[in-house]
Amino acid sequence: MSLQNEEVEVIIKVKRFSPEKGNWWQEYKLRVDRFTQFTEALRRIKTEQDPTLAYRASCHMTVCGSCGMKINGEPRLACKTLVLDMVKKYESNVITIEPMDYFKPIKDLIVDLDDFYQRMYKVKPRLYPSEQVLKGEAEHRLKPEDQRMLWKFAQCIWCGLCVSSCPSVRNDPEFLGPAAHAKGFRFLADPRDTITEEREKILLDSAWRCTYCYMCYNVCPRDVEPVTAIKKTRAYTKIAKVKTPVIETGEKHTEAVFNSIFESGKIEEAKVYLSTYGLIGSLRDMIFLLKSGKLNYALIKEKPVENITEVRKILRGE
Amino acid sequence: MSYAYYPGCASHGLSKDVDIATRKVFETLGLKLEEVKDWNCCGGGFLDEYDEIGHIALNLRNLSIVEKMGYTKMVTPCSVCLHSHRLATFKYKENKDLRKEAEKRMKGTSISYQGKATAEHIVWVLVRDVGVEKIKERVKRPLTGLRVASYYGCQMLRPEEIMGFESAYKPHSMEDLIAATGATPVPFPMNKACCGFPLMGSNPKVGIKLAFNVLKSAKDQQADIMVHPCSLCHLQLDSLQTRIMSEFNVNWTMPAIYITQLLGLAFGFSPEELGIGKYATEVLKSKGVI
């Protein structure tokens, strides 16, 4: 059988929800071929088997971002995912579909995205041009190298998958979330924008609340790499005028890491601890280490890199 | 078989027991670990935000040494060191602008990375190169009856396109290794979640909450003990047990040991020989394993 004609019967188990009945699982059987996207599978279920099934889908081509959901537990766009790919990946023709995590469900696979939009609006997702440009007295110009750098972070389609899978969003109400950071950085680093200081105030404290778990990088259907945007945002700390305690601690820690590598080529934990948390904070952690029976390892002195001049040369960029 | 070995700073510091157990397990399996000569820190997941180009160059320095030593695989017990090296080589190969800048930075140094050496996690090597059956053959003390939570964390799995060993959503390498010891693998909802370590340097209040979430999730599944694959997860999940008890007002522990410490126990080593901590030793005694 040619790949083009390959047809398989699959069972799609949908986690359904209504405010009246709560959650329940419902199974649908259908035949799919190698071109069937999940949006197409859902459309056929809705038109041929169950008109009560609710889901969002619009463009069917990874542009509108409306069909975010969990397929076999993976946060994905239904339009960008082929049914047979998941059958092959998980070696099973039974597939589960659930609404995205974190957001409040409204009906079946549809979730309330108000929280997501609020996060996006907080970072002022538009360019603030100069007065001269607004008056038509000058032109916006962007160097190709700047555009190349910004391009990636401008590709967000507001699907919400990264926020739905972010642990920091769930545990820290002051973290803006990955998508908002990607969008925020796209304007923060745009040389045509005029509200850099205001953007730093909005973005910097939040950037130090990201835990670098790379979930957003992994789930993004447009390869936006929000975590990279957050790392690049943190680099603005060096020039920021206003610094919150979270920013100050983070800055001390990163500088301590850099200094330790510069001095010895390795991370000397005791020095990094002291520089980041001060004497009292370090002593507190020493007590916890003592109780865990691990204090002996704190006294290990690791030998520095022999060719340290090379490491320093690399880091200085001489 | 012989591998270039990159312990990483934590495994030569506060997570020294990770290094100790890994060496013992590899030796028992007849595998040679040759430490990378004059290795430097990978940047620990933080350097790239401070100096992205320097981060790439430092990681390539290690891999360049590995190539000169005649190896194509550099194995590490630390998920963060693994992630750092693989991210650096990925950027170097895929991003022309960064590559150009990194090459400028490396000019005049001893670095001559040919693109042959890659970083691999020791878990991958144990599961794929050695194989579960060979590991089973070495088991002298089956850990029957011990319920072991299988924790993966972040950096060994994500991003999938750069890590590439197994699914980031349905991994099974840790379960395979746990089962080889005779213990019962216990999957739990938070087993691929973040332990919170990267937040300890800026927002420890939330960082420790993430650690608590992971440990509690394993506790809720009635696991006796947890195994993990990372020197930095070790600092977070193992060394913070007492702080978590104090800050979250709980009276339970969920001891977290490194995966080779569990294998080492099954191979007949004592907890002392493997550097296993106080809380884990208490659990092992109470379960009759030692």
Side-chain angles (χ1 to χ4, degrees), chain B residues 71-83:
Chain B
Y71 293 96
T72 54
K73 277 183 193 173
M74 181 188 86
V75 301
T76 174
C78 177
S79 299
V80 174
C81 298
L82 169 88
H83 189 274

Side-chain angles (χ1 to χ4, degrees), chain B residues 158-191:
Chain B
R158 299 186 290 266
E160 277 174 301
E161 64 172 318
I162 300 176
M163 297 302 119
F165 182 72
E166 57 191 331
S167 161
Y169 298 93
K170 285 204 173 167
H172 55 81
S173 57
M174 297 291 280
E175 276 93 344
D176 293 350
L177 292 174
I178 294 166
T181 66
T184 307
V186 180
F188 59 104
M190 302 291 283
N191 73 344

Side-chain angles (χ1 to χ4, degrees), chain A residues 71-140:
Chain A
I71 302 172
N72 273 356
E74 299 189 20
R76 282 177 168 269
L77 284 188
C79 71
K80 206 189 172 191
T81 311
L82 297 175
V83 179
L84 276 187
D85 282 354
M86 294 306 270
V87 168
K88 282 170 188 162
K89 183 173 180 183
Y90 288 95
E91 297 172 343
S92 168
N93 66 343
V94 181
I95 296 161
T96 60
I97 300 186
E98 299 161 79
M100 281 191 284
D101 287 334
Y102 177 70
F103 301 115
K104 196 179 154 201
I106 297 173
K107 186 172 190 313
D108 298 339
L109 301 171
I110 297 174
V111 294
D112 183 350
L113 284 167
D114 281 358
D115 173 84
F116 177 81
Y117 295 132
Q118 279 164 16
R119 289 171 186 279
M120 297 302 272
Y121 296 142
K122 270 186 193 166
V123 300
K124 298 182 179 284
R126 66 199 77 88
L127 195 72
Y128 284 72
S130 69
E131 282 292 313
Q132 281 177 306
V133 168
L134 287 172
K135 286 177 186 165
E137 294 165 4
E139 285 182 338
H140 272 157

Side-chain angles (χ1 to χ4, degrees), chain A residues 150-165:
Chain A
L150 295 176
W151 186 260
K152 184 179 255 310
F153 307 114
Q155 301 309 302
C156 176
I157 53 174
W158 299 45
C159 66
L161 287 170
C162 60
V163 173
S164 80
S165 55

Side-chain angles (χ1 to χ4, degrees), chain B residues 112-132:
Chain B
S112 59
Y113 180 59
Q114 304 295 310
K116 289 176 190 160
T118 51
E120 293 223 345
H121 199 285
I122 61 145
V123 166
W124 303 353
V125 167
L126 289 171
V127 170
R128 185 194 52 216
D129 296 3
V130 179
V132 170

